[in-house]
């Protein structure tokens, strides 16, 4: 019974691994949302009215325009803003490289093309039926560079009669969140009716450091709508609309997030602009500005890692972008504890080992009971085989005699199974933490392991893991028929090949867990059951 349970657990893990890696379908709520959006999109688009401007606007051409660049930086990022559209041309993260090479460039979350037709990220436009107000002659209130050591503001002022636009970016030290406010003042004699739009683009690049065996970095659009996270791979994106109850939206990959957090949205349109370029247009509610009046709007943006500390620090529900699946409620406390350990050790490899030991100690009574029960079952196995032989043609008598044997020897046939089942949620939660946490990205351990998020380059830890698993199997009491026992001995070989491409941090966890189990089994075999 116990062997069947253990086999079921291991096979369940294999099925879940391959299922979520290659075959997992979209959640039902996401399918329903897609169908609803497809049905509603034409109708919704009709609702977005364009209003005829009371006076004509003159659009200025991009061609020949010389923009001014403003450098902004704090300890976390370096950004290049431009007076052309009052947007961001480049946004570089100082603490993250694309790969482990010494000369590797830093991660650039926003990277505009150096041509006059490129619209900078976070550019805004005020549009109506017969006009598009897109000021190019922005003036700024600071000189470059702007060092962020306390709360600082960068203000763009653009005049395009009869409107005046003021865009204000507000920066904070040690924070990836940036607040943005803008004011539109109608200096004319007639009302201005139109739609205010915000532009964000994502340039997909193959970042060498974001791959690890089977576990690819998959860029996606991401939206928190009505308290639910919705994602769609950019590789599958053509055009997608979202409406109402949107908390934030943007682009993500495995480790990084670009999000816009509004006070209000009317609609968001995601579309594929070219092979590797994707665009999100955020349209706020239709606006009317009376003569002499000023309209004020504000929102926040987050451009940074999916680091739980910074996501929580923003206080914008961005932590929901970091989701560990079914066992998220268990996984996040494990991640918090892992990060706390790192403040002491400074080495995430050591933290994984310590965390493994702590989890093993917590579950020590359960695993001890499981191993002890299996040892007791092994002792009475010859008697069980004798009963099976005696009552092979009498199923009712067979069950009665075996139950009586269990009662006489005070053995619970489920005793080896239930404790292991209780540990499954913690195991899968830790599995997801070690697989998806940015803290392990490019984090070194010792000697040849210089990236805990990547596979072991020499396959030493997977091989040691396989050997330890084989030893553990040999030490575990053999309960059941010999064919089943031989089948169990094949699993270390299967796991070794599967773990060759697993992140080394996850392999270290499994290896240490096996070694601790071997020590525990040795103690039980020698001292607990004779």
């Amino acid at each position: 019974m116990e062997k069947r349970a253990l086999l079921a657990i291991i096979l369940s893990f294999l099925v879940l691994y391959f299922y979520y890696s290659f075959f997992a379908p979209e959640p039902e709520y996401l399918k329903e949302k897609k169908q609803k959006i497809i049905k509603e999109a034409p109708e919704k688009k009709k609702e977005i009215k364009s209003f005829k401007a009371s006076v004509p606007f003159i659009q200025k051409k991009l061609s020949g325009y010389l923009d001014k660049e403003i450098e902004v930086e704090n300890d976390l990022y370096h950004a290049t803003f431009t007076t052309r559209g009052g947007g961001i041309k480049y946004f570089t993260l100082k603490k993250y490289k694309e790969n482990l090479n010494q000369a590797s460039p830093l991660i650039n979350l926003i990277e505009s093309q150096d041509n006059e037709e490129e619209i900078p990220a976070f550019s805004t436009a005020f549009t109506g039926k017969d006009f598009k107000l897109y000021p190019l002659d922005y003036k700024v209130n600071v000189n470059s560079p702007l060092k962020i050591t306390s709360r600082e503001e960068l203000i763009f002022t653009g005049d395009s009669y009869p409107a005046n636009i003021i865009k204000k970016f507000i920066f904070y030290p040690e924070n990836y969140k940036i607040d943005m406010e803008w004011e539109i003042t109608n200096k004319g004699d007639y009302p201005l009716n139109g739609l205010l739009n915000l532009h964000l683009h994502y340039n997909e690049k193959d970042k060498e450091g974001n791959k690890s065996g089977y576990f690819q970095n998959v860029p996606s659009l991401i939206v928190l709508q009505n308290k639910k996270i919705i994602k769609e791979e950019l590789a599958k994106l053509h055009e997608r609309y979202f409406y109402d109850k949107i908390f934030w939206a943007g682009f993500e990959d495995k480790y990084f997030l670009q999000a816009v957090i509004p006070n209000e949205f009317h609609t968001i349109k995601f579309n594929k602009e070219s092979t590797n370029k994707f665009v999100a247009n955020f349209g706020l509610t239709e606006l009317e500005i009376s003569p002499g009046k000023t309209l004020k709007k504000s929102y926040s943006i987050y451009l940074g890692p999916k680091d739980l500390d910074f996501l929580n620090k923003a206080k914008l529900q961005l932590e929901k972008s970091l989701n560990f699946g079914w066992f998220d409620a268990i996984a996040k406390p494990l991640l918090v504890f892992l990060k706390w350990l790192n403040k002491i050790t400074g080495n995430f490899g050591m933290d994984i080992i310590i965390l493994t030991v702590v989890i093993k100690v917590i579950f020590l009574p359960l695993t001890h009971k499981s191993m002890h029960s299996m040892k007791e079952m092994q002792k009475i196995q010859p008697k069980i085989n004798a009963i099976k032989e005696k009552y092979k043609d009498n199923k009712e008598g067979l069950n009665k005699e075996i139950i009586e044997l269990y009662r006489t020897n005070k053995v619970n046939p489920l005793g080896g199974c239930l404790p292991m089942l209780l540990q499954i949620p913690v195991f899968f939660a830790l599995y997801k933490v070690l697989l998806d946490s940015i803290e392990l990205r490019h984090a070194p351990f010792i000697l040849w392991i210089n990236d805990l998020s990547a596979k072991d380059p020499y396959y030493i830890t997977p091989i040691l893991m396989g050997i330890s698993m084989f030893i553990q199997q040999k030490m575990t009491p053999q309960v059941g028929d010999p064919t089943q026992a031989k089948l169990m001995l094949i699993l270390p070989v299967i796991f070794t090949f599967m773990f060759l491409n697993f992140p080394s941090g996850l392999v270290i966890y499994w290896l240490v867990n096996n070694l601790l189990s071997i020590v525990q089994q040795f103690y039980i075999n020698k001292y607990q059951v004779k």
Side-chain angles (χ1 to χ4, degrees), residues 207-407:
K207 294 183 176 63
E208 201 177 312
N210 290 343
K211 294 186 177 181
S212 178
Y214 300 121
F215 309 102
Q216 303 296 319
N217 177 26
V218 181
S220 308
L221 67 83
I222 180 169
V223 178
L224 178 59
Q225 182 178 41
N226 198 22
K227 299 183 180 181
K228 291 182 179 179
I229 290 288
I230 301 173
K231 299 183 183 183
E232 182 176 322
E233 292 181 22
L234 295 186
K236 301 176 181 178
L237 175 65
H238 176 64
E239 187 174 273
R240 186 80 186 270
Y241 288 88
F242 292 91
Y243 309 97
D244 304 326
K245 296 182 180 179
I246 297 166
F247 291 90
W248 52 260
F251 298 103
E252 67 151 13
D253 57 26
K254 184 176 181 180
Y255 295 120
F256 301 99
L257 175 68
Q258 303 173 37
V260 176
I261 307 95
N263 282 333
E264 56 177 325
F265 275 140
H266 182 74
T267 179
I268 305 175
K269 177 185 177 183
F270 289 92
N271 66 283
K272 183 175 183 178
E273 196 167 271
S274 62
T275 304
N276 295 315
K277 184 175 180 180
F278 303 85
V279 177
N281 284 296
F282 301 83
L284 291 165
T285 311
E286 293 95 341
L287 309 172
E288 178 175 322
I289 309 174
S290 302
K293 297 296 183 180
T294 298
L295 176 76
K296 296 182 179 182
K297 294 290 179 180
S298 64
Y299 59 88
S300 299
I301 58 180
Y302 181 89
L303 301 169
K306 291 163 73 174
D307 181 304
L308 193 58
D309 289 344
F310 287 107
L311 295 173
N312 284 327
K313 191 176 184 179
K315 297 181 180 179
L316 298 167
Q317 300 191 58
L318 294 171
E319 65 277 4
K320 293 185 178 180
S321 66
L322 186 61
N323 188 286
F324 296 111
W326 294 343
F327 305 112
D328 188 70
I330 301 173
K332 282 182 178 172
L334 289 175
L335 177 58
V336 170
F337 182 64
L338 196 67
K339 289 165 71 71
W340 178 80
L341 285 174
N342 192 252
K343 293 178 181 178
I344 301 172
T345 67
N347 186 305
F348 274 108
M350 291 300 300
D351 301 330
I352 291 170
I353 293 173
I354 295 171
L355 180 60
T356 307
V357 173
V358 170
I359 291 175
K360 195 70 176 177
V361 170
I362 292 173
F363 283 106
L364 188 62
L366 288 176
T367 53
H368 189 80
K369 183 178 179 180
S370 174
M371 292 178 176
H372 192 280
S373 179
M374 291 174 72
K375 189 69 178 176
E376 291 286 355
M377 284 292 295
Q378 186 186 38
K379 284 176 60 180
I380 66 171
Q381 190 62 40
K383 295 181 181 180
I384 293 176
N385 292 338
I387 292 173
K388 287 181 178 178
E389 181 63 29
K390 182 178 179 179
Y391 292 93
K392 59 183 178 180
D393 296 324
N394 184 354
K395 189 173 182 180
E396 184 177 346
L398 172 65
N399 292 335
K400 184 178 179 180
E401 287 295 322
I402 288 180
I403 290 173
E404 184 61 32
L405 179 65
Y406 289 154
R407 185 182 295 112

Side-chain angles (χ1 to χ4, degrees), residues 58-295:
I58 300 174
Q59 294 190 62
K60 297 183 180 180
K61 301 293 184 181
L62 289 176
S63 179
Y65 181 78
L66 297 176
D67 62 324
K68 178 181 178 181
E69 294 183 351
I70 304 96
E71 307 295 329
V72 178
E73 63 178 313
N74 62 15
D75 291 338
L76 303 176
Y77 60 79
H78 179 279
T80 302
F81 287 75
T82 174
T83 54
R84 179 161 58 91
I88 303 176
K89 292 181 71 173
Y90 305 100
F91 198 93
T92 305
L93 304 182
K94 291 183 175 182
K95 297 184 182 295
Y96 300 95
K97 290 187 174 183
E98 290 192 5
N99 55 59
L100 285 171
N101 294 335
Q102 195 68 25
S104 170
L106 297 170
I107 291 289
N108 213 335
L109 290 187
I110 294 176
E111 191 170 4
S112 302
Q113 302 297 319
D114 285 328
N115 62 66
E116 294 178 339
E117 301 304 318
E118 178 83 12
I119 299 175
F122 299 105
S123 298
T124 50
F126 185 44
T127 61
K129 183 176 180 181
D130 298 327
F131 72 89
K132 180 176 182 181
L133 177 59
Y134 181 73
L136 297 178
D137 54 349
Y138 274 115
K139 297 178 182 179
V140 291
N141 68 318
V142 298
N143 294 319
S144 180
L146 175 60
K147 303 283 188 179
I148 309 300
T149 56
S150 60
R151 184 184 183 278
E152 298 281 356
E153 295 182 355
L154 172 62
I155 302 174
F156 291 88
T157 305
D159 282 305
S160 189
Y161 186 82
N164 173 268
I165 295 182
I166 297 175
K167 293 179 66 174
K168 180 188 296 183
F169 290 91
I170 305 169
F171 309 98
Y172 307 92
E174 298 298 326
N175 204 320
Y176 291 100
K177 184 190 80 164
I178 301 173
D179 290 328
M180 183 176 175
E181 301 172 355
W182 73 81
E183 301 177 2
I184 304 176
T185 301
N186 183 357
K187 298 189 297 183
D189 299 324
Y190 302 92
L192 298 178
N193 297 286
L195 187 69
L196 198 60
N197 291 294
L198 173 69
H199 169 89
L200 173 63
H201 63 256
Y202 182 92
N203 291 318
E204 185 179 1
K205 294 195 300 182
D206 181 16
K207 294 183 176 63
E208 201 177 312
N210 290 343
K211 294 186 177 181
S212 178
Y214 300 121
F215 309 102
Q216 303 296 319
N217 177 26
V218 181
S220 308
L221 67 83
I222 180 169
V223 178
L224 178 59
Q225 182 178 41
N226 198 22
K227 299 183 180 181
K228 291 182 179 179
I229 290 288
I230 301 173
K231 299 183 183 183
E232 182 176 322
E233 292 181 22
L234 295 186
K236 301 176 181 178
L237 175 65
H238 176 64
E239 187 174 273
R240 186 80 186 270
Y241 288 88
F242 292 91
Y243 309 97
D244 304 326
K245 296 182 180 179
I246 297 166
F247 291 90
W248 52 260
F251 298 103
E252 67 151 13
D253 57 26
K254 184 176 181 180
Y255 295 120
F256 301 99
L257 175 68
Q258 303 173 37
V260 176
I261 307 95
N263 282 333
E264 56 177 325
F265 275 140
H266 182 74
T267 179
I268 305 175
K269 177 185 177 183
F270 289 92
N271 66 283
K272 183 175 183 178
E273 196 167 271
S274 62
T275 304
N276 295 315
K277 184 175 180 180
F278 303 85
V279 177
N281 284 296
F282 301 83
L284 291 165
T285 311
E286 293 95 341
L287 309 172
E288 178 175 322
I289 309 174
S290 302
K293 297 296 183 180
T294 298
L295 176 76

